[in-house]
């Protein structure tokens, strides 16, 4: 089984070829002139993310300048109930997968954490300027954000344990 290890300062060690268990890693030759498929894919993903960030900057500025400060919406109840059903589904999937010790629990936990942060943001920002903002802020600070932080921490811990070098 190939395991990953933390990056080291020594480029020869960083390029070591994985070896059979119980044997020493064999240093690889200097970096190949042409990156392998995994490295190319990693680079493409990084480039795509960087372009997405660059594209979102002008879009965000445009929205900040052109969106109305308030807007009457249709299907408000459907939107919020639908979002809460999505959040409940993610949290339920996290619990079920964690109970079964399934690796998918990590992704479900991260999805649940993101949805909790989004829920906190929209609850507080949409109640801003009303008396309901205090209840929304309390729910965000004492329930949603701590739970999101806990789920993120647990997912990070599980990933670190899974990808840690084995001795």
């Amino acid at each position: 089984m190939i395991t990953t290890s933390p990056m080291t300062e020594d480029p020869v060690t960083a390029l070591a070829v994985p070896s059979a268990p119980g044997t020493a890693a064999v240093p690889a030759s200097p970096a190949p002139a042409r990156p392998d498929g995994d490295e190319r894919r990693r680079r493409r993903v990084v480039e795509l993310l960087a372009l997405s960030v660059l594209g979102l900057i002008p879009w965000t500025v445009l929205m900040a300048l052109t969106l109305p400060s308030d807007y009457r919406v249709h299907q408000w109840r459907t939107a919020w109930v639908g979002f809460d059903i999505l959040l409940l589904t993610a949290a339920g999937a996290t619990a079920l997968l964690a109970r079964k010790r399934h690796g998918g629990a990590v992704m479900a936990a991260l999805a649940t954490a993101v949805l909790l942060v989004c829920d906190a943001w929209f609850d507080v920002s949409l109640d801003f300027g009303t008396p309901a903002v205090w209840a929304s802020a309390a729910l965000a600070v004492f329930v949603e954000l701590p739970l999101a932080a806990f789920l993120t921490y647990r997912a990070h811990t599980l990933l670190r344990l899974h990808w840690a070098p084995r001795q």
Side-chain angles (χ1 to χ4, degrees):
M1 173 181 272
I2 297 174
T3 58
T4 60
S5 61
M7 293 299 291
T8 63
E9 297 299 319
D10 180 13
V12 174
T13 306
L15 293 173
V17 175
S19 57
T23 62
V26 178
S29 57
R34 194 167 174 183
D36 65 350
D38 287 341
E39 179 60 23
R40 266 196 307 271
R41 276 190 294 279
R42 185 196 67 79
R43 225 182 277 153
R44 293 283 187 232
V45 168
V46 170
E47 290 169 357
L48 177 63
L49 290 172
L51 283 173
S52 297
V53 168
L54 290 175
L56 277 173
I57 293 170
W59 176 254
T60 303
V61 170
L62 177 69
M63 287 180 47
L65 297 173
T66 61
L67 284 176
S69 62
D70 63 350
Y71 183 77
R72 175 146 168 76
V73 297
H74 303 283
Q75 303 303 328
W76 184 256
R77 184 176 303 136
T78 302
W80 277 111
V81 170
F83 182 85
D84 286 340
I85 289 171
L86 181 62
L87 179 56
L88 286 169
T89 302
T94 301
L96 181 67
L97 291 169
R99 183 161 171 30
K100 293 183 175 199
R101 298 181 185 270
H102 190 279
V106 172
M107 293 300 291
L110 290 173
T112 303
V114 167
L115 290 171
L116 284 165
V117 171
C118 291
D119 195 27
W121 167 260
F122 284 112
D123 286 345
V124 172
S125 65
L126 293 174
D127 283 341
F128 197 74
T130 71
V133 73
W134 298 111
S136 294
L139 187 63
V141 169
F142 295 113
V143 178
E144 294 167 326
L145 296 177
L147 182 55
F150 172 76
L151 289 170
T152 302
Y153 170 76
R154 289 299 300 151
H156 176 266
T157 301
L158 290 172
L159 286 174
R160 190 174 34 121
L161 290 173
H162 178 75
W163 292 103
R166 296 198 176 125
Q167 312 230 346

